[in-house]
Amino acid sequence: MSFATNSAASPASTRRQILKTAAFGASALLLPDWARAAGLLTASGFTHSVASGEPAAHEVLLWTRYVPTNRGPADVRVELSETEDFARIVSGGATQTGPWRDHTVKIVATGLMPARRYFFRFIAPDGSMSPIGRTRTLPADGRQPWRAAVFSCSNLPFGWFNAYAHAAASDAFDCTIHLGDYFYEYQRGTYPTLQEALPGRVILPDGTTVHTADYRLRFASYRADPDLQELHRRFPMIAQWDDHESANDSWEGGAEHHDPATDGDWGARKDAAMQVYREWMPVSEAPWAAYDIGGLATLFRTETRVLGRTQQPDIAPLFKDADPVAALKSFRDGAWQDPAASMMGSEQEAWLAGAMQRSVRSGRPWQIVGFGTIMGNTVMPKAAQSWLSNEAPGTARYIGAGLTAASVGLPFNFDSWGGYPAARARFLRQVRGMGGNTVVLSGDSHNAWAYNLMHEGKPAAVEFAGHSVTSPGFEHDVRTAPATVARALVEDNPELAWCDTARRGYMALTVTADAVTNEWIMLDTIRERSIAATVGHRATVRAGAHRMG
């Protein structure tokens, strides 16, 4: 979610850059700057370390990228062991990779033991080996707490990925979860501007990602980051995309920043984005999935962007009406309530409802659902009227529009669940009807939020919404003191229990049979490389309460 403009990279310029950066590995960052890394004409071998994902009790997916010197096909093997010396190989596999999949490798290792740590390494045809990775299977029972680090919104030029580094250094997690905006698609100098960008944090290609080669190169430049590599090397990840992995504010039929005149067919761009995401991420081909955390919980990975989402409402034209308030009221009582508007599409809605019901019937106390965007009701607070004199004209117009929308009960963001009230009501109605205990995890907003989600005046679920790794939030555009902004938001939004609108970091989630606790880890800085951090807030929901206590 951002307000940047789009500009496509030409296929010719992209081809030139992808030749210049054929392999963008961790060793490249040892050079003085990324410009020199872009000159690695002959890079080959294991270019981007290793990763794992899609954990289950008895299997896990393992990832690497191997480029042979001839740039052609190669057979790559993987070995797993319970010890770092690989004295006894307990599982493995082999596959062929090549330029058709950008030399990425994915192998599912099976026959593993639950709640067990494993070491893994890939072996090339010439006998060379990848860095050694660690992974962990999911538990088969609920005797021990389960911990996950939850991330979203990682814009590389805005700063260092200190959130990834902090989580990797803490070594306190069983798994990581990424809720989307793993990278950003904009051309260099757009978001952030060249003045805002941190020196040395340079993305490739220079232009907006539109074609397959663009998305591959953007992934290669992000995955060269040493802190992201270390996070992937140490923990399995359950990942889902949001909009920036394709284009800002994307939906099934297009995106806010996709112009067919310059960017071509949306379907082709969407297919390229999905293909490359699945090449470069340790993910399965399934668009959505459920993960049983032993007897504790079921975690649900969803897709709420490009496969079933209908177009977001746009209320900007209503402000040009002779009577904007009347136009907004008409929208509120009409189009906004459209039951056909969907974040997930009917197929996924049915799957999620059925899978959550099965989890409840199985006796698992918690149903944890990851969504790309916030579900909690959020309107612009009345106190924002006093902020207007402090703000730049563009921000003042945005706040003013939000205040007018709030006066008739409308949210200020329609790219989240705020644009799909009927779909939100269906989800929360089902949650209340099936029993169990639902916790929603969400990202996208760049800020930190804790909501008690209500349906028809009754508690339905708790939402822990994560702040960004580096992408700026309210504080980027709103000059009013962050504490003042947060206080006003909480006062005027009954579902909102707490928020922080200024700091970067990640969430640390702990699941036990009796409670789910979330900590918002706040990094001291992203402008220099540091893992200094504090716990900014802690919230707990207990089984049966359906709200934070």
Side-chain angles (χ1 to χ4, degrees):
M1 182 178 71
S2 64
F3 301 97
T5 57
N6 192 10
S7 178
S10 71
S13 67
T14 299
R15 283 194 296 273
R16 286 194 295 271
Q17 285 189 294
I18 205 165
L19 288 172
K20 288 165 61 181
T21 59
F24 218 70
S27 60
L29 291 183
L30 300 178
L31 298 170
D33 55 47
W34 287 45
R36 284 186 62 188
L40 295 177
L41 298 174
T42 59
S44 60
F46 292 101
T47 65
H48 285 80
S49 192
V50 297
S52 66
E54 301 292 327
H58 300 287
E59 65 183 45
V60 67
L61 184 152
L62 307 172
W63 181 98
T64 194
R65 183 172 186 262
Y66 175 75
V67 184
T69 54
N70 66 6
R71 326 301 290 179
D75 292 349
V76 180
R77 295 185 294 119
V78 71
E79 296 177 337
L80 281 86
S81 175
E82 292 186 30
T83 59
E84 198 168 6
D85 62 4
F86 289 84
R88 187 173 75 89
I89 306 302
V90 298
S91 184
T95 193
Q96 186 177 96
T97 189
W100 59 86
R101 58 174 301 108
D102 206 17
H103 298 281
T104 59
V105 176
K106 291 196 292 188
I107 298 173
V108 176
T110 60
L112 307 178
M113 299 296 292
R116 191 73 58 88
R117 175 179 288 176
Y118 291 94
F119 297 90
F120 66 97
R121 65 188 180 190
F122 289 88
I123 304 171
D126 62 2
S128 61
M129 294 185 183
S130 71
I132 294 173
R134 296 185 335 182
T135 192
R136 190 174 182 86
T137 51
L138 297 182
D141 57 49
R143 288 194 291 267
Q144 298 296 323
W146 187 80
R147 298 200 75 210
V150 186
F151 304 94
S152 65
C153 304
S154 313
N155 191 318
L156 188 145
F158 268 117
W160 287 101
F161 290 161
N162 292 334
Y164 295 150
H166 184 275
S170 72
D171 202 27
F173 302 102
D174 300 294
C175 186
T176 64
I177 298 169
H178 208 292
L179 296 172
D181 295 345
Y182 184 92
F183 72 71
Y184 282 70
E185 82 283 12
Y186 298 121
Q187 68 176 349
R188 188 183 301 172
T190 297
Y191 182 70
T193 65
L194 292 176
Q195 292 72 32
E196 293 173 320
L198 191 65
R201 302 285 283 172
V202 180
I203 55 170
L204 295 170
D206 295 341
T208 304
T209 58
V210 175
H211 308 287
T212 300
D214 301 330
Y215 286 107
R216 284 174 170 171
L217 187 53
R218 187 61 55 89
F219 258 114
S221 66
Y222 267 70
R223 289 292 293 274
D225 181 89
D227 298 317
L228 179 52
Q229 285 194 1
E230 185 64 5
L231 184 79
H232 276 301
R233 192 186 72 81
R234 295 179 73 88
F235 303 111
M237 178 178 283
I238 295 172
Q240 61 192 61
W241 60 58
D242 192 39
D243 55 341
H244 289 291
E245 289 88 348
S246 55
N248 184 52
D249 288 1
S250 54
W251 58 285
E252 182 180 12
E256 180 189 18
H257 290 156
H258 178 84
D259 182 356
T262 56
D263 302 330
D265 177 66
W266 167 248
R269 184 178 183 182
K270 180 171 70 172
D271 288 347
M274 291 191 296
Q275 173 190 327
V276 176
Y277 184 89
R278 287 168 173 157
E279 289 173 350
W280 275 85
M281 294 294 287
V283 297
S284 71
E285 303 298 300
W288 49 79
Y291 307 83
D292 284 326
I293 317 298
L296 285 178
T298 307
L299 173 67
F300 300 92
R301 171 172 63 82
T302 66
E303 197 291 314
T304 56
R305 261 307 162 186
V306 295
L307 297 181
R309 179 196 275 243
T310 53
Q311 189 170 13
Q312 307 90 324
D314 179 11
I315 65 171
L318 302 181
F319 289 92
K320 299 177 182 178
D321 193 270
D323 187 346
V325 172
L328 287 167
K329 287 180 178 178
S330 178
F331 165 75
R332 177 198 63 194
D333 299 335
W336 188 51
Q337 303 290 343
D338 185 1
S342 176
M343 288 282 275
M344 294 187 286
S346 59
E347 179 184 357
Q348 188 182 182
E349 279 194 25
W351 166 81
L352 182 59
M356 291 181 72
Q357 287 170 347
R358 287 191 291 276
S359 175
V360 173
R361 287 197 297 267
S362 73
R364 288 173 172 81
W366 299 100
Q367 291 69 48
I368 304 171
V369 187
F371 289 131
T373 58
I374 286 174
M375 179 169 279
N377 284 326
T378 320
V379 302
M380 189 67 71
K382 299 181 186 70
Q385 186 69 44
S386 65
W387 310 345
L388 296 177
S389 61
N390 298 326
E391 306 303 338
T395 302
R397 285 192 296 272
Y398 174 74
I399 292 173
L403 285 166
T404 305
S407 71
V408 300
L410 290 171
F412 60 78
N413 182 16
F414 292 89
D415 186 54
S416 69
W417 285 86
Y420 304 82
R424 175 192 137 110
R426 284 195 298 271
F427 174 79
L428 294 178
R429 184 184 308 114
Q430 290 165 349
V431 162
R432 281 195 52 80
M434 69 181 61
N437 298 277
T438 297
V439 174
V440 170
L441 305 177
S442 59
D444 181 70
S445 77
H446 306 176
N447 292 129
W449 316 80
Y451 293 91
N452 290 309
L453 301 177
M454 307 290 288
H455 179 66
E456 296 180 343
K458 297 177 181 178
V462 162
E463 179 175 17
F464 300 137
H467 44 327
S468 65
V469 172
T470 59
S471 302
F474 261 83
E475 82 289 349
H476 183 260
D477 298 305
V478 177
R479 298 173 184 171
T480 303
T484 300
V485 172
R487 184 168 54 251
L489 284 162
V490 171
E491 287 174 354
D492 277 19
N493 288 283
E495 289 189 339
L496 182 59
W498 169 85
C499 68
D500 181 289
T501 64
R503 293 182 286 179
R504 315 276 71 81
Y506 69 102
M507 299 192 298
L509 187 79
T510 302
V511 184
T512 68
D514 298 325
V516 173
T517 298
N518 193 63
E519 295 177 331
W520 285 263
I521 309 298
M522 306 297 189
L523 274 299
D524 286 2
T525 182
I526 60 169
R527 300 298 291 180
E528 59 187 51
R529 208 168 172 202
S530 168
I531 59 171
T534 57
V535 176
H537 188 69
R538 182 181 291 108
T540 297
V541 55
R542 301 197 176 278
H546 310 299
R547 61 182 298 115
M548 287 168 278

